[in-house]
Amino acid sequence: MTASSSDGSVDLVTLGQRLRHLRRSKNMTLDQLSSAVGRAPSQLSLIENGKREPKLSVLQAIAGALGVPMQDLLRPEAPSRRAGLEIELAHFQREPAYQALGLPMVRGGRRLPADALESLIGLHRELTRVLTEQSATPEVARRANQQLREQMRERNNYFADIEQAAAEILQSVKHTTGPLSQRGILDIAAQLGFTLHYVPDLPDSTRSVTDLRNRRIYLPQVASNKGHDPRAVVLQTLGHFVLGHEDPSDYGDFLRQRVEANYFAAALLMPEKFAVDFLRDAKADRALAIDDFRDAFGVSYETAAHRFTNLATHHFGIPVHFCRVHESGTVYKAYENDGVRFPADVTGAIEGQPVCRNWASRTVFQSANPYSSFYQFTDTVGGTYWCTVHVESTRSGEFSVTVGTPYEHARWFRGGDTTRRTVSRCPDPDCCRRPPAALVEQWAGHAWPSARVHSHLLAALPPGTFPGVDAQDVYEFLERRVQS
Ligand SMILES: [Zn+2]
């Protein structure tokens, strides 16, 4: 950390250190200097400790007494390495993060041993690094998510340049049929000069690790314990190189790269040309279905649903929405260009917000067989939408994956003639945000749920009687217990 502040003003700690250094190098005591400039020693001591800003006239007098130009006192550099560390220590201790700890202020003077000073500085630097890393959390993340969603909507979630890059690669490995095989993936990796290595000890926090020098991609041996398609992981990794990604400059950049790499992988697993042919035939039969799309290309339902949003508007003029919703009712992922109004907080963020209980993404959990094909029309305040929903079980519970479209486009889909229909008046709180009056009367004031907080949704807790808790669920639960 340099002692000069960015606005060009003089840093008092550095000024004091330079003054002390010059005075000692001239073998002057504080008393000698103070009598030479006609000021009290205590006053000079405050200046040397960076605790008082000297007047210009005092600085001139000091420079004169020391026999140096005044500029020597005002330079921004620390006069020595030791002094530099002392200045850094003083700055660290003035940070709110340090002051919040309520620890004593350590003076960096001569009595502080060099190793103690080095150790303190090392700890401060590490603390600052950790705090900076953590600052890429809820607020920043949610804003970045929102911006990215807007950019995706502007281009109808269709990335022509990535489609092009994927098409060129498929051509280079002479891929001419529909889905991409494992063999095809090895060919692509080889074509790009990478070898794949499956290892048992990949770091927990990684999907893959790439040795750039030796162009080796390390992948987990136990491929899919988190439900990731191992082919997709390889292709996502290759995507970062093909798309020229560099170290992300911030969280938004990181997210964008993630989206692009995932897009690239999907564009290889479900090549545009073949996917569009497939969908065109299905549309002609008025039988568009995400399950069929998935089966034709051997990918996960979510990958197929997401890929459908890439192509539906651009190629077929069908506006769509997509969301992944936890069984608890909160949104994990969402995209729309069909005007559907996802629940949002005051900042416009969607992740972590509760979806209307009457939306297909939630009613599906009440259906007799949530794992079979589920279709629903929903009348919302913004119009009627048709949705198809798929439920999948994961280690963190069940999730619904929804693809929806405005009423007039339902006719292109299988299940577009469903008679199932619900009404959603959200965001009117009387739609589903308030428990029924009878339950409130019965239980308000007599229930004390303890919230189970999802750390990644911390900043997105829905408002309610108890933060993070759905009061209606709690009341209904108690009602059932009492009655049984
Ligand atoms: Zn509602």
Side-chain angles (χ1 to χ4, degrees), residues 30 129 141 144 147 150 169 208 210 221 255 304 321 364 377 459 462:
L30 207 53
R129 188 187 68 77
Q147 281 175 359
E150 274 163 26
I169 283 173
S208 69
T210 303
Q221 223 164 37
L255 270 187
H321 67 265
V364 67
F377 282 103

Side-chain angles (χ1 to χ4, degrees), residues 356-358 424-426 428 431-433:
C356 177
R357 288 167 180 275
N358 301 313
S424 161
R425 284 175 291 123
C426 274
D428 176 355
C431 170
C432 64
R433 299 302 166 94

Side-chain angles (χ1 to χ4, degrees), residues 394-459:
T394 74
R395 286 194 305 186
S396 355
E398 297 200 312
F399 286 86
S400 62
V401 177
T402 303
V403 172
T405 190
Y407 178 85
E408 61 270 31
H409 298 281
R411 64 182 190 277
W412 305 117
F413 291 81
R414 186 193 302 146
D417 56 352
T418 182
T419 54
R420 194 187 156 80
R421 191 158 192 151
T422 65
V423 176
S424 161
R425 284 175 291 123
C426 274
D428 176 355
D430 283 330
C431 170
C432 64
R433 299 302 166 94
R434 285 197 191 121
L439 283 178
V440 172
E441 186 156 332
Q442 184 65 20
W443 288 106
H446 302 287
W448 187 262
S450 175
R452 187 159 61 108
V453 177
H454 299 283
S455 57
H456 63 292
L457 298 175
L458 255 186

Side-chain angles (χ1 to χ4, degrees), residues 87-105:
I87 291 166
E88 200 175 343
L89 180 65
H91 282 289
F92 275 130
Q93 293 186 143
R94 286 182 188 176
E95 292 292 325
Y98 181 78
Q99 302 209 337
L101 298 174
L103 295 171
M105 302 288 273

